[in-house]
Amino acid sequence: MSERTLGFGSKLSKIKPAEETDEPVVPDHKIDEVGDRAGFVSREPVQRMTRRKPAEPSANLNIRPPITTFNRFLQFCEANRMSYPEALKELMDRAKV
Amino acid sequence: MPVIAVANPKGGAGKSTTTLVLATTLAAQGATVTILDCDRNQPIVNWRGGGSKNPVQVDGEVTESNITSKLDAYRKERQFVFVDLEGTASRMMSRALARAQLVIIPIQASPTDAELAAKAVNLIQEEEELLEKKIPFRILFTRTSPQIPTRLEKKILAQLKGGDVPHFTNHLNERAAYKSVFYDQLDLNELDASEVNGLPQARENALRLAEELIDLVVT
């Protein structure tokens, strides 16, 4: 069939992509009103947003440092408004570990 | 006149098959064709993932919020933009119909298909009032026997004629080839006639239907 063209060519060439038109554009919400009345409603669920960023899996790290080390670490976290995991990462980054 | 929406709120009426058969037939004849696959099961996107060399372009990234802008963009670039809609009464469908220059409503010869098709026709008529323009539509019988019309088919056809509901004179017959295009992920030209029964008839049917569609679009 790929060789058969049935004279579509001339007819097909009459069909052109649409040109810019100045016909009035009806906004979507107007169309949605009509759709809602006829029972054509939104099927896409409203997604709940979350502020938590997707993260890699985590693991527990339980340590008992001397109290002076503990206090220094806490002061660092407070001063930089970081969580413990963020502070640990930051310190290791700085130390190039 | 390039946006052609294929819509019936009933599932399994033959929307994706009609879309793929018509779009690939037109593309094989040299037309520039894009399909927006709005069905969440993405049957046509999956088809495109196969080995077919048919030049039809498929876009499956369609949502309620971007369908309008996508249609406005594609219709300025392509000769035909087909919208394969999901088999539900959805906001996506009402937005697509508002941008369509022709709506094809495929139905099998069954009362449920016909009833839900009537729901789509009702929406089209309400949108026509709002838009103050005609949205031409045509019912298309799908999966009909090429030889003998069933009694139910005749009855439904008589009702359509009685209600002045426009329909395609050609049907999309029940043919193994129309399932094989999805299974083998090829177009009708690429299928192997020794593997698929009735392939020449299926190709002929597709061409006749495409021809009728072109005539509708040109006039």
Side-chain angles (χ1 to χ4, degrees), chain B residues 190-207:
Chain B
E190 294 164 332
L191 288 176
D192 182 351
S194 64
E195 301 273 324
V196 183
N197 287 335
L199 186 56
Q201 292 91 327
R203 288 171 177 163
E204 188 65 23
N205 184 193
L207 279 171

Side-chain angles (χ1 to χ4, degrees), chain B:
Chain B
M1 214 202 231
V3 175
I4 298 166
V6 185
N8 185 340
K10 163 99 170 38
K15 288 179 291 295
S16 299
T17 307
T18 303
T19 307
L20 188 60
V21 166
L22 281 172
T24 50
T25 302
L26 290 168
Q29 297 283 331
T32 55
V33 187
T34 294
I35 301 174
L36 296 190
D37 188 355
C38 305
D39 188 332
R40 257 174 257 182
N41 296 321
Q42 304 263 281
I44 296 181
V45 171
N46 291 338
W47 173 85
R48 186 70 281 183
S52 175
K53 301 229 168 16
N54 190 292
V56 68
Q57 188 189 77
V58 180
D59 184 344
E61 308 279 316
V62 193
T63 61
E64 277 173 12
S65 46
N66 72 14
I67 186 162
T68 306
S69 53
K70 283 211 175 201
L71 283 178
D72 285 343
Y74 280 126
R75 64 200 287 257
K76 288 176 192 139
E77 294 167 14
R78 315 287 285 180
Q79 281 174 290
F80 292 92
V81 184
F82 282 87
V83 191
D84 178 26
L85 289 152
E86 196 181 5
T88 45
S90 66
R91 176 164 288 173
M92 182 105 88
M93 189 179 287
S94 75
R95 287 188 174 184
L97 298 192
R99 291 288 186 292
Q101 276 76 47
L102 176 69
V103 183
I104 300 176
I105 306 177
I107 67 170
Q108 290 186 52
S110 92
T112 40
D113 279 38
E115 271 166 22
L116 283 159
K119 195 172 173 183
V121 172
N122 179 36
L123 175 67
I124 291 171
Q125 286 164 346
E126 293 216 15
E127 289 196 3
E128 281 179 338
E129 272 181 38
L130 172 77
L131 301 166
E132 295 176 344
K133 65 163 192 186
K134 280 270 160 212
I135 307 174
F137 68 93
R138 289 283 184 286
I139 301 278
L140 170 68
F141 275 98
T142 59
R143 303 191 65 175
T144 54
S145 156
Q147 279 90 30
I148 322 139
T150 62
R151 236 177 262 174
L152 198 54
E153 201 180 310
K154 282 186 197 157
K155 280 186 190 166
I156 293 175
L157 198 59
Q159 279 209 14
L160 292 184
K161 281 183 179 152
D164 272 336
V165 182
H167 59 90
F168 280 91
T169 47
N170 289 287
H171 297 181
L172 193 71
N173 295 139
E174 174 74 39
R175 290 281 178 201
Y178 301 145
K179 295 192 178 86
S180 296
V181 287
F182 283 98
Y183 184 81
D184 295 323
Q185 300 178 310
L186 298 171
D187 75 7
L188 288 170
N189 295 331
E190 294 164 332
L191 288 176
D192 182 351
S194 64
E195 301 273 324
V196 183
N197 287 335
L199 186 56
Q201 292 91 327
R203 288 171 177 163
E204 188 65 23
N205 184 193
L207 279 171
R208 291 283 157 246
L209 189 61
E211 201 174 17
E212 192 177 351
L213 176 71
I214 292 171
D215 282 339
L216 270 176
V217 171
V218 169
T219 50

